[in-house]
Amino acid sequence: MSIWWIVAIAVAVVLISILWLRLHAFLALAMAGFLVAVLTPDAALVDYADLQMEKSKGAWTQQEAASFVSSSGAQRLAQSFGEYAGKIGILIALASVVGSCLMHSGAAAVIIRRMLAIVGEARASYALAGSSFLLGIPVFFDTVFYLMVPLAKSLRRQVGKDYVLYILAILAGGSLAHSLVPPTPGPLAVAAELHIEIFDMMVGGLAICCCSSVLSLSAAAVINRFVDVPLRDDETPADEKSAGGPPSIDEVEGPPFWLALLPIALPVLLIAGGTAWNMWIGSFDSGAAPAWTDSLGRIVKLASDKNVALGIAAAMAMGLLRWAPVASDRNQLIGKALASGGVIILITSAGGAFGTMLRYAGIAEAVAEMTGSLPGLMLLPLAFLVTASIRTLQGSATVAMITAAGVLQGFANPEILPYHPVYLATAIGAGSKPIMWMADSGFWVICKMSGMTESEGLRTLAPMSIAMGISALIFTVLGAWLLPMNH
């Protein structure tokens, strides 16, 4: 069977399962991965094994290649699932703990209040975007929006206008971070799929996110001029209000600002420190580094490991719970955070295994043949369009990013790309923004929490998501052109 028929059938299974059958994304991706594994002809597996033996220069033996070809589709899928969970599982679990602790300790509220104090009420949209951007790195976007929408309503009551601008400012910061900056699941999964260092993905995602947020805020101001949404009565059900969620912005004192920021900034600093250390050690000739660097180097290597860095951040975030305004069972709180993270681990690991099955089937070679001489700057708009198509059809940005990375991961090769593979990853992240509509659960969260009707949501959220995606793509292409950083 042609690889394109296999891809078409697999994508159809994902879309039908999510949109029509309303199955969980984990089940949809696992079924699609199994289907690809079963339909892949033995000839494609032999070609992949031969290619790996050629590339790995002996890392794959003839016996291992034969074992790979003779294994069942279920075995290959299960093994790929386990390998993927090993790459991202601990990171997502720890990030969930950090996010939950920031919310319940009042640290998130402290960050938002300080941002508002810095820029003032007249530039409240910048404070909202900046705060949601910072919180969107360790905290899932839905949770960020739950926390910040009461503040947007409060500002609307004080100012008397610009409610749409405040809502879209929250979207501009938090949603872009959700798709571009690890350790959120989407960019973390894409970085693993494209074999990009976590620090490179952090720096690239932060740079693109900061630049595109400025353009996105301009788009939000334009949309705000044409669409006016009145401040309707709070329709949040009473049981949701009393469900023991995070405290509102004005209810808590919280920890000092520098402590509130520490669990977010520390992992970035530790990972960056490890990268800087390796660059410094590499500047010496072989064996010329001072003797004392051996002992210190082991400590730096340990602390800068991405899992250890997030673990330290999680421990600090749990320490912030002493400022929680309402006493709660710490173990119960952490348990809920890990349960939430566990679902994301299942989805991203199943998506990664699905992408691996596509790779075994020969999707990278098929895309290369179809695009011909396209690799270069034009590959970035292609990655954007592939991701945006999947995102618009089935609604989930994370699923779209994982699927697109599986299709395009063959191009993340320094011998093929004239720029760093991180630009391919950010192009995929940019493509996960458009188009927000009824198929997206985030669309309903924003509409219900903000009081927008479906029509108002389509007139505001859909064009805003397009503006965010295109702005991120523009800066990705500019970065690849002006600062390729190719190896």
Side-chain angles (χ1 to χ4, degrees):
M1 181 180 291
S2 167
I3 178 60
W4 293 113
W5 278 110
I6 295 176
V7 171
I9 293 172
V11 173
V13 166
V14 172
L15 296 178
I16 291 173
S17 298
I18 293 176
L19 294 178
W20 183 40
L21 299 179
R22 302 296 181 184
L23 290 181
H24 195 277
F26 164 72
L27 296 176
L29 290 168
M31 286 193 302
F34 179 72
L35 190 61
V36 172
V38 170
L39 294 179
T40 298
D42 291 343
L45 298 176
V46 171
D47 290 341
Y48 181 82
D50 290 342
L51 185 62
Q52 292 306 304
M53 285 193 293
E54 179 183 346
K55 285 184 175 180
S56 58
K57 298 179 181 179
W60 270 40
T61 65
Q62 191 71 38
Q63 183 178 2
E64 289 170 335
S67 176
F68 168 78
V69 173
S70 62
S71 62
S72 69
Q75 288 175 321
R76 294 194 297 275
L77 181 69
Q79 183 178 359
S80 299
F81 180 91
E83 291 174 352
Y84 216 88
K87 293 178 182 178
I88 51 86
I90 295 177
L91 291 174
I92 292 177
L94 292 175
S96 299
V97 172
V98 171
S100 180
C101 292
L102 288 179
M103 304 294 282
H104 287 267
S105 67
V110 168
I111 293 172
I112 297 170
R113 287 203 303 261
R114 177 59 65 89
M115 296 289 285
L116 276 171
I118 291 173
V119 302
E121 187 178 280
R123 295 182 178 86
S125 60
Y126 294 94
L128 292 175
S131 300
S132 62
F133 168 69
L134 285 175
L135 297 176
I137 296 174
V139 182
F140 301 137
F141 174 70
D142 287 3
T143 308
V144 173
F145 193 83
Y146 276 120
L147 175 72
M148 298 193 65
V149 71
L151 182 59
K153 291 181 178 180
S154 176
L155 286 169
R156 166 62 177 80
R157 293 188 184 97
Q158 295 177 32
V159 178
K161 58 180 180 179
D162 294 337
Y163 185 45
V164 169
L165 177 61
Y166 298 147
I167 295 297
L168 296 184
I170 297 172
L171 180 64
S175 183
L176 282 169
H178 180 78
S179 293
L180 292 171
V181 185
T184 46
L188 192 63
V190 172
E193 189 72 36
L194 303 185
H195 305 291
I196 299 171
E197 292 292 334
I198 191 73
F199 176 71
D200 294 340
M201 189 67 209
M202 280 183 173
V203 173
L206 284 168
I208 300 299
C209 197
C210 290
C211 295
S212 57
S213 293
V214 176
L215 282 185
S216 299
L217 277 175
S218 299
V222 173
I223 297 171
N224 182 61
R225 291 185 178 183
F226 290 95
V227 183
D228 178 49
V229 175
L231 186 60
R232 300 182 174 94
D233 292 335
D234 190 0
E235 299 175 357
T236 305
D239 57 345
E240 288 188 18
K241 293 179 180 179
S242 59
S248 66
I249 302 293
D250 301 321
E251 289 179 347
V252 297
E253 180 180 350
F257 179 64
W258 68 273
L259 271 180
L261 275 182
L262 200 56
I264 301 174
L266 187 64
V268 179
L269 295 176
L270 288 175
I271 295 171
T275 302
W277 175 269
N278 292 334
M279 292 175 63
W280 181 66
I281 292 296
S283 65
F284 292 96
D285 294 332
S286 179
W292 59 267
T293 59
D294 290 339
S295 299
L296 184 58
R298 294 189 184 95
I299 299 175
V300 172
K301 183 177 180 180
L302 177 64
S304 62
D305 179 87
K306 55 184 181 293
N307 293 308
V308 175
L310 260 294
I312 295 172
M316 291 188 169
M318 286 189 286
L320 296 180
L321 291 175
R322 60 174 293 188
W323 279 276
V326 179
S328 59
D329 188 328
R330 178 180 296 181
N331 289 335
Q332 184 178 10
L333 179 66
I334 301 304
K336 289 181 179 179
L338 292 175
S340 174
V343 174
I344 303 298
I345 293 170
L346 287 174
I347 294 173
T348 52
S349 299
F354 174 39
T356 302
M357 296 305 103
L358 289 173
R359 181 166 70 247
Y360 292 163
I363 185 62
E365 292 76 12
V367 173
E369 291 178 4
M370 181 187 71
T371 56
S373 59
L374 185 61
L377 289 179
M378 288 305 297
L379 179 61
L380 300 177
L382 172 66
F384 175 87
L385 291 174
V386 169
T387 314
S389 299
I390 301 171
R391 156 73 153 109
T392 303
L393 287 171
Q394 53 79 46
S396 170
T398 301
V399 171
M401 293 176 70
I402 293 172
T403 305
V407 172
L408 298 166
Q409 39 83 25
F411 290 108
N413 187 334
E415 298 177 0
I416 298 176
L417 289 180
Y419 43 78
H420 198 285
V422 73
Y423 291 114
L424 180 59
T426 56
I428 291 173
S432 71
K433 293 298 92 188
I435 298 173
M436 181 177 281
W437 66 301
M438 278 83 161
D440 179 13
S441 61
F443 175 88
W444 296 106
V445 169
I446 296 174
C447 285
K448 295 303 180 184
M449 286 292 294
S450 64
M452 289 185 184
T453 65
E454 288 82 355
S455 174
E456 290 167 344
L458 287 174
R459 287 185 288 146
T460 56
L461 303 181
M464 184 63 185
S465 65
I466 295 173
M468 289 190 298
I470 292 178
S471 64
L473 176 63
I474 289 172
F475 285 108
T476 294
V477 173
L478 285 175
W481 178 41
L482 299 175
L483 192 66
M485 299 185 298
N486 51 318
H487 300 287

